[in-house]
């Protein structure tokens, strides 16, 4: 009998986790490495010091990547294309909601060109660059996964509360990049699962300023959310490609 591996693959996982130093990406990378059959996990971060720190697990590779920098993306793609193990999974876990300089807009009065550009650069354009340079590294002839963590608040149909203009709009645009990439990918990679994911509300640096008054049981830990997303991806097939799924497997309206 053929052994089913993590994420519903017929072969051991060889993954790239973009933005996997901490938060949900960090938890997903750890969960993938927990499985003994996993061949390799390449984790990216912008943190030069963290990237340069040696790991005791020889299957873990740390690489530098700022998703808004095309030259870094090209370099990473080149490096990965020479790896013997190949890649069958790409998970984008990067995201930007706030910095020390700005937070999500509560009103249109807070809309600001520089802030919008920064948020869209990570949440939309960075994801587009991963489609452009990294998705083509996935195999054409068998199951493979390209998933990007988006957010339910990026759903236009589900927007009843308003606010958070840049984050919402950049995630809605990310969803369109994923959908459009999934359609193009289908021609050469009919077995690819290319989806956007909503991780739930998760206790991380990104959500921290907005979850102070939430009870523990209203939030996931990064490990809980990461495990949910792995379970959801494991159950998806190429028929589900081009859609947005929540942590519980529910399909989210655009
Ligand atoms: N937490 C929640 O409640 C929640 C809810 C809905 C959706 N999400 C989404 O879930 C994803 C993961 O977020 P998280 O909650 O785990 O937050 P997090 O802990 O703050 O992680 C965000 C990651 O994004 C990376 N990043 C930011 N800007 C980057 C850039 N220019 N280039 C490359 N990497 C960049 C950071 O990596 P380095 O600093 O190491 O470079 C960091 O690891 C995001 O897409 C977020 O929008 C989260």
């Amino acid at each position: 009998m053929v052994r089913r591996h993590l994420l519903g693959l017929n072969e051991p996982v060889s993954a790239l986790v973009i933005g996997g130093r901490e938060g949900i990406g960090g938890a997903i990378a750890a969960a993938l490495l927990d499985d003994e059959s996993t061949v390799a996990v390449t984790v990216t971060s912008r943190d030069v010091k963290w990237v340069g720190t040696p790991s005791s697990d020889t299957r873990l590779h740390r690489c530098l990547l700022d998703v808004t920098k095309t030259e870094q993306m090209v370099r990473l793609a080149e490096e990965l294309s020479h790896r013997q193990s190949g890649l069958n999974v790409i998970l984008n876990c990067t995201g930007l909601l706030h910095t020390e300089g700005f937070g999500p807009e509560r009103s249109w009065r807070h809309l600001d060109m520089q802030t919008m550009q920064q948020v869209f650069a990570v949440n939309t354009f960075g994801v587009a660059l991963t489609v452009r340079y990294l998705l083509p590294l996935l195999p054409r002839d068998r199951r493979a996964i390209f998933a990007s963590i988006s957010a339910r608040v990026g759903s236009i149909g589900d927007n009843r509360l308003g606010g958070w203009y840049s984050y919402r709009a950049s995630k809605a645009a990310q969803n369109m990049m994923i959908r459009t990439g999934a359609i193009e990918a289908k021609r050469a990679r009919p077995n690819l699962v290319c989806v956007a994911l909503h991780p739930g509300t998760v206790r991380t640096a990104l959500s921290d300023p907005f979850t102070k008054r939430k009870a523990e049981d209203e939030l996931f830990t990064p490990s809980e959310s990461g495990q949910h997303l792995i379970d959801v991806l494991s159950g998806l097939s190429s028929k589900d490609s081009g859609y947005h799924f929540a942590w519980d497997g529910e399909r989210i309206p655009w």
Side-chain angles (χ1 to χ4, degrees):
M1 206 174 80
V2 182
R3 183 184 158 197
R4 293 285 269 179
H5 290 270
L6 272 183
L7 299 166
L9 298 171
N10 292 324
E11 59 188 354
V13 164
S14 176
L16 169 65
V17 182
I18 306 165
R21 176 177 62 88
E22 58 177 7
I24 303 166
I28 291 178
L32 297 180
L33 286 165
D34 260 355
D35 189 301
E36 278 177 10
S37 77
T38 294
V39 175
V41 179
T42 299
V43 176
T44 76
S45 169
R46 292 161 302 166
D47 185 328
V48 180
K49 200 167 157 210
W50 183 84
V51 167
T53 308
S55 158
S56 53
D57 189 332
T58 53
R59 299 169 304 157
L60 171 63
H61 309 275
R62 297 177 176 191
C63 290
L64 188 73
L65 181 67
D66 180 330
V67 294
T68 68
K69 303 242 158 69
T70 303
E71 68 284 1
Q72 288 186 14
M73 194 72 80
V74 171
R75 206 177 309 137
L76 179 67
E78 174 76 9
E79 194 183 321
L80 290 169
S81 70
H82 292 117
R83 288 257 174 91
Q84 213 179 2
S85 53
L87 267 186
N88 46 29
V89 175
I90 298 177
L91 302 171
N92 170 49
C93 306
T94 64
L96 181 60
L97 173 61
H98 57 88
T99 65
E100 278 175 14
F102 66 78
E105 310 91 348
R106 286 187 309 280
S107 157
W108 58 53
R109 291 191 312 279
H110 303 137
L111 285 168
D112 168 75
M113 181 57 85
Q114 236 190 328
T115 301
M116 288 189 285
Q117 282 174 340
Q118 256 180 277
V119 174
F120 270 78
V122 178
N123 294 345
T124 306
F125 310 143
V127 176
L129 290 183
T130 64
V131 171
R132 161 74 176 85
Y133 291 103
L134 301 173
L135 188 153
L137 299 174
L138 292 169
R140 290 167 177 257
D141 60 344
R142 56 197 193 277
R143 179 174 170 86
I145 290 176
F146 184 96
S148 184
I149 305 188
S150 182
R152 186 187 292 277
V153 297
S155 163
I156 294 172
D158 198 54
N159 183 0
R160 291 176 193 91
L161 278 177
W164 293 27
Y165 285 80
S166 301
Y167 186 72
R168 280 184 189 278
S170 63
K171 290 291 194 177
Q174 171 181 150
N175 293 345
M176 185 58 99
M177 292 292 180
I178 294 297
R179 170 92 180 157
T180 307
I183 290 168
E184 182 172 347
K186 217 168 200 58
R187 289 175 214 137
R189 291 174 178 75
N191 299 312
L192 181 71
V193 176
C194 176
V195 289
L197 297 172
H198 168 62
T201 307
V202 190
R203 196 174 284 292
T204 64
L206 182 135
S207 67
D208 186 57
F210 314 97
T211 51
K212 297 254 190 290
R213 271 179 276 159
K214 289 228 182 241
E216 276 305 314
D217 61 1
E218 290 179 278
L219 296 170
F220 291 130
T221 63
S223 314
E224 286 166 342
S225 172
Q227 193 52 56
H228 283 307
L229 297 181
I230 288 172
D231 292 345
V232 169
L233 288 171
S234 303
L236 297 181
S237 76
S238 55
K239 289 201 293 296
D240 302 305
S241 207
Y243 292 102
H244 185 191
F245 292 92
W247 60 272
D248 57 357
E250 176 209 0
R251 205 167 100 187
I252 299 176
W254 296 124

